[in-house]
Amino acid sequence: LSDVSQTGGVVSAETNAQIATYAAVMDGLKAEIAALAAQNGALSQKIDSVSVVATRQVAEAESKVSQVEVNAVQERNAANITNSMNAINVALSAGSPFTTGLADLKTAGVTDISVALADASGGVATLPQLRADFPEAAHAAKRASIMASAGDGIFAATGAFLSAQVAGRSLTPKEGLGPDAVLSRAEAALKIDDLATALVEIDSLPAEGREAMGGWFPRAVGRQNAVDAYEALLVALTSE
């Protein structure tokens, strides 16, 4: 602009052209700066958006991994529960202890184990054993039941005693409420592995009759209680 003072303050056409060019350059620079600022803003928004998406994807991936781990644990526990229940079933049939099976169930997350099943974990009487021991126990039960049902007086007691000594036992099921009929039906049920029905029949005997069976009756009850508890647990587990 030095030529302005030399021309008495009049701006020459050349100077005007230079000023216009400079102004245009400045306007261009301003436009470029504004464009860069806009691009930076858009880039910043894009970075923020990508960050949000990435964070969400990471969270989803972590959730999926966590669910896979949970599913794997559940599948492993389910397999352990199945194996343990099968082992306990075999042990109940064989009269073997199944403390390890119960421990494995607890490790797999099964905590609702009945007292009856836990008490029987040392082993229960088998059905073949109960069938083999029944005749002797039944004879004792019949004699005791006859004595318990005797009337008052010496003659009644003597007659009952003599009847008890010579009393035979029916080997085929028969109708009636007497001890011989009850025991015949109990034995018939036992022969087809229906211990529950046999116990219902025996429970109708006088208390003296059941007590005379010695260890047979509590052993049979212990087995039935354990089997019932096992079946109840099996139903509960398969319905979950």
Side-chain angles (χ1 to χ4, degrees):
L1 298 178
S2 59
D3 62 335
V4 175
S5 59
Q6 295 175 359
T7 58
V10 178
V11 179
S12 66
E14 182 180 356
T15 299
N16 278 329
Q18 291 177 349
I19 292 173
T21 299
Y22 177 75
V25 171
M26 291 301 296
D27 289 340
L29 289 174
K30 290 179 180 179
E32 290 180 9
I33 292 172
L36 288 173
Q39 290 177 358
N40 287 338
L43 180 60
S44 177
Q45 291 179 349
K46 189 172 183 179
I47 290 173
D48 291 342
S49 177
V50 169
S51 176
V52 170
V53 171
T55 300
R56 185 179 68 250
Q57 290 176 339
V58 169
E60 291 174 352
E62 290 176 344
S63 177
K64 289 180 180 178
V65 170
S66 177
Q67 188 59 49
V68 167
E69 292 175 345
V70 169
N71 291 342
V73 171
Q74 290 176 341
E75 290 177 1
R76 184 167 61 251
N77 285 343
N80 289 339
I81 289 172
T82 298
N83 292 337
S84 298
M85 291 297 288
N86 289 338
I88 292 172
N89 188 34
V90 170
L92 285 172
S93 297
S96 304
F98 49 90
T99 51
T100 300
L102 290 184
D104 290 342
L105 283 179
K106 292 178 181 179
T107 300
V110 179
T111 57
D112 191 17
I113 297 174
S114 70
V115 174
L117 193 58
D119 287 346
S121 61
V124 296
T126 66
L127 285 172
Q129 289 171 343
L130 293 173
R131 279 195 296 269
D133 296 342
F134 185 79
E136 182 178 351
H139 278 299
K142 182 175 180 179
R143 289 193 294 268
S145 297
I146 291 174
M147 293 296 297
S149 61
D152 295 331
I154 185 66
F155 292 108
T158 301
F161 174 78
L162 293 175
S163 296
Q165 300 309 306
V166 298
R169 192 172 64 83
S170 298
L171 300 181
T172 57
K174 58 185 292 187
E175 298 295 328
L177 301 178
D180 183 55
V182 168
L183 290 165
S184 71
R185 294 194 298 271
E187 187 169 27
L190 194 59
K191 286 179 179 179
I192 58 173
D193 292 344
D194 189 357
L195 180 58
T197 297
L199 288 175
V200 170
E201 292 286 0
I202 294 171
D203 200 48
S204 67
L205 292 173
E208 293 86 350
R210 294 193 300 274
E211 291 172 0
M213 298 184 81
W216 191 95
F217 188 67
R219 286 164 59 215
V221 170
R223 174 183 176 78
Q224 189 60 47
N225 287 344
V227 170
D228 289 343
Y230 170 82
E231 292 178 348
L233 179 58
L234 183 62
V235 170
L237 291 174
T238 53
S239 63
E240 292 181 354

